[in-house]
Amino acid sequence: MNHDIDVKKMRINCFRQSKVPGEFMLQMRAPGGMVDAKYLSSIEHISKTWGDGNFHFGTRQTFDIPGIKYENIDAVNEYIENYITEVDEELCDVDMDKVAGEPQEWDVKSGYPTIGARNITACVGNYHCICGNMNTYELARKIEPIIFPSHYHIKINISGCPNDCNKAHMCDFGIIGTAKMEYHPERCIACGACVRNCEHGATRVLSLNEDTGRVEKDPCCCVGCGECVRACPAGAWTRSEKKLYKIIIGGRTGRQTPRAGKMFLNWASEDVVLNVLRNWQKFSAWVMDYKPEYLHGGHLIDRAGYKKFKEIILDGVELNPECLVAEDIFWHETEYRSNFNVKPLSMHHTAGPQGE
Amino acid sequence: MGYSLNPDQTAELLNRLAEDYRIYAPKRFPKQGRYSDTDIIRYDRIQTPDEIVWDQKSDYPAKEVISPIQQALFYFTEDEYRESKKAKKPVLLLARPCDITAQLVQEKIYAENGGFKDLYYDRVHNKVKFAVMDCGGGDDTCFCVSMGSNKPENYSLAFKFDENGLKAEVSDDCFADYFDGMPEDDFTPEFVEENELKVTIPDLSDRDVRLALKSHPMWKEFDKRCISCGSCTVACSTCTCFTTRDICYGDNPEVGERRRVTASCQVAGFDQMAGQREIRSTAGDRMRYKILHKFHDHKARFGDRHMCVGCGRCTHMCPEFISISATVNKMADAVDEIKASLADGGNHVE
Ligand code: SF4
Ligand code: SF4
Ligand code: SF4
Ligand code: SF4
Ligand code: SF4
C-alpha cells in the first residue's frame, strides 16, 4: 500500500488512524452521551455505506465508526454536516465559526473542525437515575459551546451524584452533581433510616440523638449525595432547590503517572462551574505558551503548579457563598517508575510564556 | 345551595373564609420529592386558590393536619407540667372523599377506642370543618369504591375546581354567608362510582383459615421485597400508631417536653418489648400484620368498616413498588387455596 496521508490532520478532523493502512475510525460527538435515537439510523448508514459495518461505543461516549477508507472521508464529512449542525450548533448552541473563541469560518462539508476539547461524557443523571441530583446532559449541552471547537485539550466527565458512575475522578475536569440537604425535624419520625443509609452508602455523618429524637449531622463531611433523602419515609430530608457541584481536577489514566483527581471546588453553583470552564482555555494557553499540544489537563496543572492554576482559573469568577476552594492539593499518583519526577534539570518541563 | 365562581370570585371566597378559618389543602412543594427534581404534594395552609392542587392526589395524607407527624403534648419542669397550646382558629380542610372517610377511622382510634378520648386529637378535630374536593375519579392506585369510602357524609362544603374556577355546594348553613352575592348554580357533587382498580377482600371469618393464612408462604415474598422503610404507613390515610418521646432541654433532665411521634408497624423494632423480644421480626411478618389489620382485624374489632379506605397512597409511595391492592388480591388467592384445602380434608397448605 502506498499512502500519502496527513494523519495528524485527519485526527484533528476526528478521524483516528487505524492499524489497517488507509483506514480510519470516525468519532462523532454526543455531548453528555445523549442524543435523539433517530441518529442511530445515520450511524448505521455511515457504517454500512463507508465503514466496515460495525459500530463501537467510544470510551468518551462518541459514536465510533471504524473501517472508513481514506478516499471516502470527504463523502462521510459531507454526510455528517447535518448531525454536527443539529447536535452541536442547534442543540448545544455552539458557534461553529470560532475556534478557541477566535473567528475561523467552518466549512460545513469538512466535518469536525477540532478534536482538542473532547466529547463531554455523562452518566444518565437525574433524567432517569433515582440517585441523580441533576440533569447531566443539559449541563453538558451548556458546557459544549464553552469548550468546543478548540484545539486545547480537555476531558470533562459529568456524574449526576457522588456515586460518580461516570468517573469524574478520572479526567481533567470532573463535575459531580450534589445538593445541600435540608432537615425538617417536624416531619422526622426518628426511624433512623437516613442514618443507616448514610452509613452504608455514603459518609456516616448522621446520627440519631436519642435525647432529642432528632437526627444530627456532621456537616463538614456530607458529600451531598441525597441517600438520606431517598431513605426517608416522611419527607423529613429534602434536597435544596439550588443545584451544587463538586469539581474534581487532575485525574488521569495513561502510561506515566495515572492518578485519581482531587477536589478543587465543593458546593459550586452552576454559574461558577461554567465561569471556571470559561477560564480553562486561558489557563491552557498560558501553560503551553499559546501553542496547543496534546496534554492531559492534569499535566498542565502539574506544570503550572496548583496555585498558579487556581489563580488563572478563578480569575474574575464570583464564587457563590457556599462554595469552598481547595487551598492546596496533594496528589497521589501511581509512579510506574519510582522517583519518576527526579531527572536532569534540562529535562524539566516549562510552564508559562518562555519569551523568544 | 350551589354556586359557580370564576377565579376572582374563588379568590374572594377564600379571602372571606380565611378571616375565620385556617384553610388547609394539598399544596405542591417543588423539588422536595424523594428523587431529584420531583415534587411533593402534601397538606399545608394555603392563602390563594392557585396553591391548591386539585388535579393530583397528594403524596401524604390529610390526616397530617389533625394528627401531625410530630407534636408537643406537654412541657414539664421538675414537678409541674403545662399542656401545649391549642390553636384557637378553626380549620377548613379541603380533602378528597377517601381522606374524609378516613377521618371516621381516625376518630374511632383516637376518640372512641377503650372508652378514652385523646385530648390532643379531640381539641383539633373539634375545630375542623371539611370541604370535600372532587377528585375526578382518582388515579390507578385508588380503590375507594371497593372500600366504600367514595361517598363521605361528614362534610360542610363540596368543591369542584377546574381551570374556570370553582363550583361549590354548601351543605352546612354556617358557611352560607361566605357565598353572599356569588353566582348561584345548580351544582351538586358527584362521587366516583367505579375505580379502574377493584379489590376483593377475602372472607376471613373462619379462625382455621386465618391460622393457615398466618403461616402461608405468600408472606415470604416480602422478606425479599420490602425494605421495612415505613413509607407506606406514613403515607397512609388511616394509620394512627404513634410513640411518645420525652425530650430534655439542654443538659437538665428535669425540664423538657413530651412529644407524640408517628410510628410505623413496618419498621423493625416497632413491637420490640423489654428483653429485646420482637413479635414480628421479618418484613413478611410485618406485612402480614399490616394487611390483616387493614382488611380484617380492625373491622373485626370495631364492627363498622375496614380500616383501609383505598386511597392508594401506600402503593404510590412505596419505593419498592409493593402494591397494596396486588397484595390483597394475592391474599385472596391464598385464602381460596386454603379454603379448598380445608374442604379437602384439612391438609394444611405448605
Ligand atoms: S453517578 Fe449517580 S446519578 Fe449518575 S448513574 Fe451513578 S448513581 Fe446515577
Ligand atoms: S447527603 Fe450527606 S448526610 Fe445525606 S446520605 Fe449523603 S453524605 Fe449522608
Ligand atoms: S429517615 Fe427521615 S424520618 Fe427517619 S430518622 Fe431520618 S429524617 Fe427522620
Ligand atoms: S392501607 Fe393504603 S390504600 Fe389503605 S388507607 Fe392506608 S394508604 Fe390508603
Ligand atoms: S411495603 Fe414498601 S413502603 Fe411499606 S415498608 Fe415495605 S418497602 Fe417500605
Side-chain angles (χ1 to χ4, degrees), chain B residues 59-297:
Chain B
D59 299 288
Y60 290 101
K63 74 175 183 193
E64 286 188 5
V65 177
I66 302 172
S67 44
I69 287 178
Q70 272 213 20
Q71 69 186 124
L73 302 182
F74 56 81
Y75 305 94
F76 56 84
T77 55
E78 278 168 59
D79 52 0
E80 292 176 325
Y81 70 92
R82 187 170 57 74
E83 195 187 311
S84 60
K85 283 231 170 70
K86 53 175 176 253
K88 294 206 178 66
K89 204 169 175 179
V91 167
L92 178 64
L93 180 50
L94 277 60
R96 292 190 170 207
C98 54
D99 295 318
I100 295 180
T101 307
Q103 281 308 312
L104 298 177
V105 176
Q106 300 274 312
E107 220 175 312
K108 191 114 289 157
I109 303 296
Y110 281 113
E112 293 164 32
N113 191 9
F116 174 81
K117 211 173 235 185
D118 184 296
L119 168 78
Y120 304 97
Y121 170 80
D122 198 50
R123 68 184 195 182
V124 185
H125 183 245
N126 265 335
K127 288 200 171 294
V128 179
K129 300 269 185 194
F130 290 98
V132 66
M133 283 200 299
D134 188 296
C135 66
D139 59 34
D140 69 350
T141 63
C142 298
F143 54 103
C144 54
V145 179
S146 300
M147 302 315 293
S149 67
N150 50 326
K151 293 178 183 167
E153 275 153 23
N154 166 32
Y155 60 85
S156 306
L157 294 164
F159 284 170
K160 184 181 167 88
F161 288 93
D162 62 24
E163 290 75 14
N164 307 317
L166 169 71
K167 290 200 174 8
E169 186 200 53
V170 179
S171 41
D172 181 339
D173 283 344
C174 75
F175 283 99
D177 285 354
Y178 299 98
F179 287 83
D180 242 9
M182 300 281 184
E184 291 180 13
D185 187 272
D186 56 2
F187 171 74
T188 46
E190 280 166 25
F191 295 110
V192 49
E193 295 287 351
E194 194 181 1
N195 306 116
E196 190 184 318
L197 185 63
K198 294 175 186 62
V199 173
T200 317
I201 295 128
D203 168 29
L204 289 170
S205 52
D206 187 317
R207 192 168 174 274
D208 287 342
V209 172
R210 289 205 303 278
L211 270 179
L213 182 62
K214 194 175 170 197
S215 53
H216 193 276
M218 73 162 278
W219 306 110
K220 290 223 164 24
E221 172 188 345
F222 301 103
D223 290 346
K224 294 200 191 84
R225 287 182 64 199
C226 171
I227 58 170
S228 300
C229 66
S231 295
C232 48
T233 66
V234 177
C236 178
S237 300
T238 58
C239 280
T240 51
C241 286
F242 62 83
T243 181
T244 54
R245 267 180 184 269
D246 287 347
I247 291 158
C248 302
Y249 296 158
D251 52 7
N252 185 353
E254 313 272 358
V255 184
E257 68 189 57
R258 175 161 296 177
R259 298 188 77 82
R260 160 139 84 198
V261 182
T262 296
S264 171
C265 63
Q266 299 304 285
V267 171
F270 173 80
D271 56 357
Q272 201 166 52
M273 299 182 298
Q276 305 299 303
R277 196 180 116 76
E278 252 185 311
I279 302 168
R280 298 176 290 274
S281 58
T282 64
D285 285 345
R286 293 189 284 264
M287 178 66 75
R288 183 196 67 225
Y289 172 79
K290 176 180 78 182
I291 298 292
L292 286 174
H293 194 81
K294 296 282 177 197
F295 298 93
H296 173 264
D297 302 351

Side-chain angles (χ1 to χ4, degrees), chain A residues 5 39 43 49 126 187 273 324 347:
Chain A
I5 304 172
Y39 295 117
I43 312 301
T49 315
N126 85 355
R187 294 192 67 79
V273 173
L324 303 176
M347 287 175 76

Side-chain angles (χ1 to χ4, degrees), chain B residues 44-58:
Chain B
D44 199 23
R45 201 156 167 191
I46 57 106
Q47 314 288 347
T48 57
D50 50 305
E51 288 178 282
I52 302 168
V53 179
W54 45 264
D55 55 354
Q56 214 179 321
K57 189 161 70 188
S58 64

Side-chain angles (χ1 to χ4, degrees), chain A residues 183 187-195 208 215 228 231-234 236-237:
Chain A
Y183 181 50
R187 294 192 67 79
C188 176
I189 68 167
C191 66
C194 56
V195 177
L208 189 61
V215 175
C228 45
C232 183
W237 281 110

Side-chain angles (χ1 to χ4, degrees), chain A residues 123-125 129 131-132 159-161 163-165:
Chain A
C123 74
V124 72
C129 181
C131 301
S159 283
C161 83
N163 209 24
D164 195 11
C165 295

